[in-house]
Amino acid sequence: MSRVLSTEEAKTAIRQIQSIVNGGFTDQITQLDTQGRVLSDPNVWDGPLAENFRNATWPETKSALDSAKQQLEELRNQLDRISQDIFTAGGGA
């Protein structure tokens, strides 16, 4: 039989992670994407550094941000399921 343990510390940590993710962290990633797209427009910013940003820096950064946002969404869903399981099993509210 597997051990099942849910301390108050675990429940608090779950709530804090949910709060951080739900509190705008993914929105900030979206805002970074918006500003990155603005800077990627040669009509807004151009020159050798802008071209490097547009062709190398931003595509790599955007890919990492998209991945982070997806992983945060998955984390949020997992934490929702874990919390529900804890509460259903009598871990309290």
Side-chain angles (χ1 to χ4, degrees), residues 55-76:
N55 294 327
T57 304
W58 182 245
E60 292 173 17
T61 302
K62 178 165 177 22
S63 177
L65 289 171
D66 288 345
S67 177
K69 189 172 181 180
Q70 179 183 356
Q71 290 176 3
L72 286 170
E73 293 295 332
E74 290 173 13
L75 175 63
R76 179 185 5 222

Side-chain angles (χ1 to χ4, degrees), residues 26-92:
T26 53
D27 291 339
Q28 289 178 337
I29 291 173
T30 299
Q31 291 171 16
L32 285 169
D33 180 42
T34 299
Q35 298 312 313
R37 283 185 279 123
V38 168
L39 290 174
S40 293
D41 182 346
N43 295 314
V44 173
W45 185 37
D46 208 4
L49 291 176
E51 188 174 329
N52 185 53
F53 176 86
R54 188 169 44 250
N55 294 327
T57 304
W58 182 245
E60 292 173 17
T61 302
K62 178 165 177 22
S63 177
L65 289 171
D66 288 345
S67 177
K69 189 172 181 180
Q70 179 183 356
Q71 290 176 3
L72 286 170
E73 293 295 332
E74 290 173 13
L75 175 63
R76 179 185 5 222
N77 291 335
Q78 287 177 354
L79 290 174
D80 287 343
R81 285 192 303 270
I82 291 167
S83 293
Q84 189 60 41
D85 287 350
I86 289 170
F87 300 144
T88 300

